[in-house]
Amino acid sequence: MPPLSALRAFEAAARRLSFKEAADELSVTPGAISQQIRALEADLDVKLFDRGVRTVSLTAAGRALLPDLTEGFMKIRDAVDGVRPGSAPSLTVRAAGMIMRHWLLPRFHTFTSANGALETHLKTLYSFDDLTLGADEVVIRLAAEPPSGVYARPIHKLFLIPLASTDFISQHALSAASDVLRVPLLEDAVIQLFEEGPGWEKWFKAADIADDVPEYAMKFDPYTAEYGFDMAVSGKGLLLGWSIQCADAIQAGELVCPFGPVLDLNLTYYVMCASASAQKKQVVAFMDWAEQAAAPLSALRAAVPGSGCGRVVPLPMRKS
C-alpha cells in the first residue's frame, strides 16, 4: 500500500489539476506535493501526470485512479465525521452569479428553515468548465447533458422569451414579433458559450422573421450580463430573457412579455454532486428542494402570447 500522504497529494492535485491549489488545500508547499506525487509514481511504476510548463494533465493511469480514490477519501471523511462529537452536517452550494441573485437567494431561506441543523455555504461558480466537486458539495449548472462521472438531477429546462418594462412596451407600441426590428435589443451573450451565434438570431428564426439581427442589438458578456437585465427593467430595451432569471421579475410586474414565441433550447439546469455524495441526507434534501422550487418555472409559458409556437433549437454541450 503506498503512503497515505502520497495518495492524498495525488487526489487533491488530480481533482484540481493544480499542484499549487492542492498544496493550499493540504496546507503544504507545492514542492511537497510534487515530491509526494513523484514518490507515488515511483512506487506504482506508472506515470500519473503529464507535466507542461505551467499546467498539468492526467495520464490514462491518473484518470483511472482518481474516481475510486476520491470516493475512498470521502468515505473516510464521512466515517470520521460520524464519530466526532458535535460535528454538524454541512453543505456547500455553488451556482453562477445570475442564478444566485435571481433564483437561489430569494428562496434559499425556505431550504435553510426546513434544515435548521445543517451548516450551509454558498459560493459563486465562475466557469462552466469547473467540474470540481468536493465532499458535501452540490453545484447548479447548465448543460445539454451532465458530464460523466457525476450524479446529476435535472430541475429546469431553459427557455428564452422577449421581455420589457410596461413603459417600454407602451412607448414603442410593441404588439407583434416583427416589432423587434425597430427597437433596441438586449441580449445575454452567455448562451454563446454553448453554441456559436446570438440568441436573438435563433429567436428570429423561431418567429419566422427573415431579417438578420439588427446591428443595434446590445450583447452582454458573462461579466456584464446583469446589466442587460437591469436595463430592461429600467425601460432601456427589449431583453431576450432566461426563464430562470426573469421569473420573479415577471411575477412582480417589472418585466412583461409583449409577444411570443418561446425559444426552447436543448439546455437544462442540473443539480450535480460527486457520485460518492449522492446518497448523503443533506445532498438529497437539497436536490429534492431544488426540484420542487424550480417546478413553477414551467408555468412562465402562460405569460407568453402564442407560447405554443416555440421551436426547439438544438444546442450541443460545449466541449471542454
Side-chain angles (χ1 to χ4, degrees):
M1 182 73 179
L4 187 62
S5 58
L7 293 173
R8 286 188 68 199
F10 164 76
E11 193 276 335
R15 175 163 38 83
R16 296 178 175 274
L17 287 179
S18 169
F19 285 14
K20 182 181 184 304
E21 291 184 15
D24 291 340
E25 178 180 321
L26 299 180
S27 300
V28 297
T29 65
I33 293 292
S34 181
Q35 184 178 1
Q36 291 279 10
I37 291 174
R38 289 190 184 280
L40 179 62
E41 289 176 323
D43 186 288
L44 299 177
D45 194 23
V46 67
K47 188 178 180 181
L48 299 172
F49 285 97
D50 287 321
R51 295 162 174 83
V53 177
R54 293 186 178 179
T55 61
V56 293
S57 60
L58 288 169
T59 63
R63 289 193 297 271
L65 179 60
L66 178 61
D68 288 341
L69 204 56
T70 297
E71 183 175 359
F73 278 118
M74 285 185 175
K75 288 182 177 179
I76 292 173
R77 175 179 171 174
D78 290 345
V80 172
D81 286 346
V83 299
R84 179 179 285 127
S87 60
S90 66
L91 181 71
T92 297
V93 181
R94 291 195 295 152
M98 181 265 279
I99 298 298
M100 285 281 193
R101 174 186 172 187
H102 295 286
W103 185 77
L104 185 58
L105 289 178
R107 44 188 57 77
F108 191 62
H109 66 280
T110 63
F111 173 75
T112 56
S113 296
N115 296 271
L118 181 65
E119 180 182 327
T120 57
H121 307 273
L122 297 178
K123 294 184 178 180
T124 302
L125 179 69
Y126 291 104
S127 171
F128 287 107
D129 292 327
D130 185 356
L131 301 179
T132 303
L133 283 165
D136 304 326
E137 182 176 70
V138 295
V139 60
I140 302 173
R141 287 189 61 216
L142 184 66
E145 58 184 29
S148 59
V150 303
Y151 177 81
R153 190 188 300 187
I155 60 170
H156 175 62
K157 188 162 188 208
L158 179 66
F159 57 91
L160 309 183
I161 51 180
L163 295 164
S165 68
T166 54
D167 288 343
F168 184 88
I169 293 172
S170 176
Q171 178 185 353
H172 295 275
L174 298 182
S175 60
S178 58
D179 292 337
V180 300
L181 296 174
R182 56 180 177 78
V183 298
L185 302 180
L186 308 171
E187 180 184 349
D188 183 341
V190 175
I191 202 70
Q192 292 182 237
L193 293 175
F194 298 89
E195 175 163 298
E196 295 180 0
W200 272 118
E201 185 177 288
K202 301 178 188 303
W203 186 88
F204 273 40
K205 182 178 179 181
D208 293 322
I209 298 175
D211 299 73
D212 292 331
V213 178
E215 293 183 359
Y216 49 79
M218 185 178 296
K219 299 176 186 176
F220 298 87
D221 63 25
Y223 298 101
T224 61
E226 290 297 281
Y227 297 152
F229 175 88
D230 293 338
M231 287 181 70
V233 171
S234 62
K236 299 298 190 300
L238 183 68
L239 174 72
L240 191 59
W242 297 35
S243 50
I244 199 168
Q245 174 191 36
C246 300
D248 290 350
I250 292 172
Q251 185 175 11
E254 295 177 319
L255 292 173
V256 176
C257 180
F259 39 68
V262 172
L263 178 60
D264 287 298
L265 302 175
N266 188 31
L267 292 170
T268 300
Y269 276 101
Y270 293 89
V271 182
M272 305 179 188
C273 70
S275 298
S277 300
Q279 301 304 317
K280 289 188 173 183
K281 290 183 179 180
Q282 63 268 42
V283 172
V284 173
F286 181 81
M287 289 191 170
D288 288 345
W289 173 86
E291 190 173 24
Q292 295 172 7
L297 293 172
S298 59
L300 287 178
R301 292 177 178 273
V304 182
S307 59
C309 60
R311 181 182 301 170
V312 175
V313 179
L315 290 176
M317 185 174 181
R318 185 192 182 200
K319 295 181 180 180
S320 299

